[in-house]
Amino acid sequence: MYIVVKRVSKTSEHGIKEYTAEIKIISQLRHKNLVELKGWCHEKSELLLIYEFMENGSLDLHLFKQKSWLTWDKRKRIAYDLASALSYLHEDCKECILHRDVKSNNVMLDSNFNAKLGDFGLARLVDHDKNSKTTMLARTLGYMAPEYVMTGKASKESDVYSFGVVALEIACGQKPIGYTANEERQTTLVEWFRIYMGLELF
């Protein structure tokens, strides 16, 4: 069996917390669009997570590093698979699971380009009718919903916003953070899309 070993950095401030969260949450999940955790090890101060091997790597390698060309059919299926994973986490689990780090390099692709969501180090369990109470921003710039940036409170909706950014990446081939046409300032993909489409910014 081919596997991937994720080694948690010994110098990481939140390493043990993320390692524990990842084991606690993903070890009880089974869904075709989630990367499967095969095992873990924490001996001699080493924190290791063992995952199934995903032959085609992460989505961002294909979108931005030209590992291969993604046809529109593949892009559509990848978006559908990611939506299916989030629907399962938000609605079908005993407790709602907020991933809090949905982005293209956490979307993994198998040999047939089926997409699976991975990296649950920042995920949190919450009641289905409540939002996360976390007050620490835990995501990557460009993927964060405006209300999450302002309040620090993650929710199903902030996960869905991040999914929307990934969907735009898939459709447009643009990174989540870029520059305006005159290169004067950075802009988010959502802002770029609204300007490009002639939509008013909210």
Side-chain angles (χ1 to χ4, degrees):
M1 177 190 294
Y2 290 101
I3 59 168
V4 170
V5 178
K6 177 180 176 182
R7 184 180 187 185
V8 180
S9 172
K10 295 179 182 179
T11 59
S12 172
E13 183 179 347
H14 305 289
I16 294 177
K17 186 176 180 181
E18 291 179 10
Y19 172 81
T20 305
E22 200 148 358
I23 293 173
K24 179 182 177 182
I25 292 173
I26 201 170
S27 63
Q28 58 186 311
L29 303 178
R30 292 292 179 271
H31 191 273
K32 66 177 183 176
N33 298 121
L34 298 179
V35 177
E36 184 180 349
L37 180 67
K38 296 290 188 182
W40 61 89
C41 173
H42 47 265
E43 294 181 3
K44 298 179 181 178
S45 74
E46 291 283 2
L47 302 177
L48 306 175
L49 296 162
I50 297 91
Y51 287 99
E52 65 176 311
F53 179 69
M54 301 293 285
E55 292 87 343
N56 278 306
S58 60
L59 174 60
D60 66 316
L61 293 177
H62 301 271
L63 291 176
F64 309 122
K65 298 180 182 177
Q66 300 177 339
K67 183 175 180 181
S68 70
W69 173 251
L70 296 175
T71 64
W72 284 113
D73 283 342
K74 286 179 181 175
R75 290 170 190 247
K76 180 181 176 182
R77 190 169 75 236
I78 289 167
Y80 180 86
D81 288 346
L82 180 55
S84 177
L86 282 179
S87 177
Y88 169 75
L89 295 175
H90 291 170
E91 306 298 337
D92 299 336
C93 294
K94 185 176 179 180
E95 289 183 275
C96 173
I97 298 171
L98 304 180
H99 188 276
R100 301 201 309 157
D101 201 22
V102 178
K103 56 186 180 181
S104 57
N105 68 342
N106 282 340
V107 178
M108 308 304 294
L109 305 173
D110 69 13
S111 58
N112 295 315
F113 286 91
N114 296 305
K116 299 189 181 189
L117 182 59
D119 197 343
F120 281 72
L122 299 178
R124 294 293 179 269
L125 295 168
V126 297
D127 291 338
H128 277 283
D129 57 348
K130 295 179 181 178
N131 289 336
S132 170
K133 295 181 180 178
T134 181
T135 56
M136 182 184 72
L137 292 179
R139 289 192 185 167
T140 307
L141 290 176
Y143 295 95
M144 292 189 292
E147 66 273 15
Y148 182 40
V149 174
M150 290 186 289
T151 66
K153 293 182 179 180
S155 64
K156 294 179 186 178
E157 290 79 10
S158 57
D159 268 359
V160 172
Y161 180 95
S162 300
F163 163 77
V165 174
V166 175
L168 281 176
E169 288 181 277
I170 292 170
C172 303
Q174 300 284 334
K175 292 186 177 182
I177 297 286
Y179 287 88
T180 53
N182 55 14
E183 299 289 322
E184 287 183 352
R185 65 180 180 87
Q186 281 190 323
T187 182
T188 66
L189 179 55
V190 174
E191 183 183 4
W192 173 85
F193 180 76
R194 284 179 162 271
I195 292 170
Y196 184 81
M197 297 299 292
L199 303 172
E200 292 184 10
L201 290 172
F202 53 84

